[in-house]
Amino acid sequence: MARFVQIIEFQTSRIEEIEELGRPSRTDGTTAPTFRRIIAAADRDRPGTYFTIVEFDSYESAMENSNRPETSDFAAKMAALCDGPPVFRNLDVQWEDTGQESDPAT
């Protein structure tokens, strides 16, 4: 299975509230989250524009995570704090380069 990345772009003047809202919802709940990692980023060139980059083992694990009640609840609350609707990018990972040299002895 190929890894999968979801990028969510959103605009808000209430980023502190979104950050506070997101902390517990990422790992709390009745079902375990399926993401590998989350990166939150601010656009340097467009103040008030943010990105959440979420990495999953597969598209299927991303859909499993989306179906968690905690994820749905967070998405609704986050949308209420945004200045417009978020934009979702759903990406199948084709290849990656970690930038780290591997040990030739291994």
Side-chain angles (χ1 to χ4, degrees), residues 5 26 32 35-36 43 47 58 70:
V5 173
R26 289 193 292 263
F35 59 83
R36 283 179 164 254
D43 190 322
S58 66
E70 299 81 12

Side-chain angles (χ1 to χ4, degrees), residues 71-93:
T71 302
S72 298
D73 184 52
F74 169 76
K77 290 176 180 175
M78 178 186 159
L81 296 172
C82 289
D83 298 337
V87 176
F88 292 83
R89 303 281 187 237
N90 298 305
L91 310 170
D92 293 317
V93 175

Side-chain angles (χ1 to χ4, degrees), residues 34-102:
T34 62
F35 59 83
R36 283 179 164 254
R37 68 179 170 160
I38 296 176
I39 298 171
D43 190 322
R44 283 182 169 258
D45 301 320
R46 295 182 296 159
T49 300
Y50 301 90
F51 295 86
T52 303
I53 305 159
V54 189
E55 182 181 344
F56 296 92
D57 287 334
S58 66
Y59 172 79
E60 292 76 17
S61 66
M63 294 305 97
E64 184 180 326
N65 196 71
S66 291
N67 290 328
R68 294 175 68 229
E70 299 81 12
T71 302
S72 298
D73 184 52
F74 169 76
K77 290 176 180 175
M78 178 186 159
L81 296 172
C82 289
D83 298 337
V87 176
F88 292 83
R89 303 281 187 237
N90 298 305
L91 310 170
D92 293 317
V93 175
Q94 299 296 304
W95 59 270
E96 71 178 324
D97 183 345
T98 64
Q100 298 176 5
E101 247 182 80
S102 61

